[in-house]
Every structure is written in C-alpha cells, then in structure tokens.
Amino acid sequence: ALLRLSPIIPFNAINYIAGVTALSFWSYVWAMIAILPGTALYVFLGASAGSLADSASSGENSTVTIIVAVVGVVFGVLAVGVTSYYAKKELNKVVEKRQAEQATL
C-alpha cells in the first residue's frame, strides 16, 4: 500500500511488480483503496484548472470559482497528508514488530 502512495513510481510499473511478486490479492486491493485520496486530489485539481480557465475566458466574476478551488485544494492536501500520516504509523508498527521478532531469535 505504501508503494502506491509514492508519486515517483508509475502505476503501470507498480502493477507489474505486484504481479510478479508474492503480494496477496487483498494487500493489492487495500493498496488500490489507499490511493483514492491522492487520485481524487489530482482529478479535482484538473477539473478546477479547467473551470478557472473557462471562467477567465468568459470574462465572468470568478471569485466564487477561485474560492471553491482553493478550499478543495486545501481539503485534498489535508486528505493526502492524513493518509500519509496513518500509512507511516502503520509502517512503523510493522518495522517494530519485525525488530521485536528478530530480537527474540
């Protein structure tokens, strides 16, 4: 799931990596759910940019459009931040568990 949160690695490469490794189906499904906040943010940014461009070219008062876009971006960034925070928290739990298991061996 953490690999899906990285914007550096393309999704196609991650799909192929997941296909040739021992990644379980349910881990893959969980990872697909984990990327929804980032995907929603990218979609919203694209739609907002298009809306702002349309309102600017039509000459209308675009104050409401700009306010909605800014609020949406703020909430989108917060959603990605919260998702990253909990992903890091879970990763730390897994690392601590493995370290505890290795210490007992």
Side-chain angles (χ1 to χ4, degrees):
L2 294 176
L3 200 58
R4 285 273 183 203
L5 295 175
S6 172
I8 297 171
I9 302 172
F11 287 153
N12 289 343
I14 294 172
N15 290 338
Y16 289 124
I17 291 168
V20 297
T21 61
L23 184 67
S24 72
F25 173 75
W26 293 111
S27 295
Y28 184 77
V29 169
W30 176 246
M32 293 299 294
I33 293 169
I35 66 168
L36 287 178
T39 302
L41 177 63
Y42 288 133
V43 168
F44 181 79
L45 288 174
S48 296
S51 177
L52 288 173
D54 288 344
S55 65
S57 66
S58 67
E60 297 176 7
N61 185 2
S62 61
T63 305
V64 173
T65 306
I66 292 171
I67 291 172
V68 168
V70 168
V71 169
V73 168
V74 168
F75 281 121
V77 169
L78 284 174
V80 171
V82 168
T83 303
S84 298
Y85 170 77
Y86 284 112
K88 184 177 179 182
K89 196 173 175 180
E90 289 299 317
L91 178 63
N92 288 338
K93 284 181 187 177
V94 169
V95 168
E96 288 174 5
K97 182 180 175 184
R98 285 196 180 167
Q99 287 176 349
E101 288 175 355
Q102 289 179 353
T104 59
L105 294 176

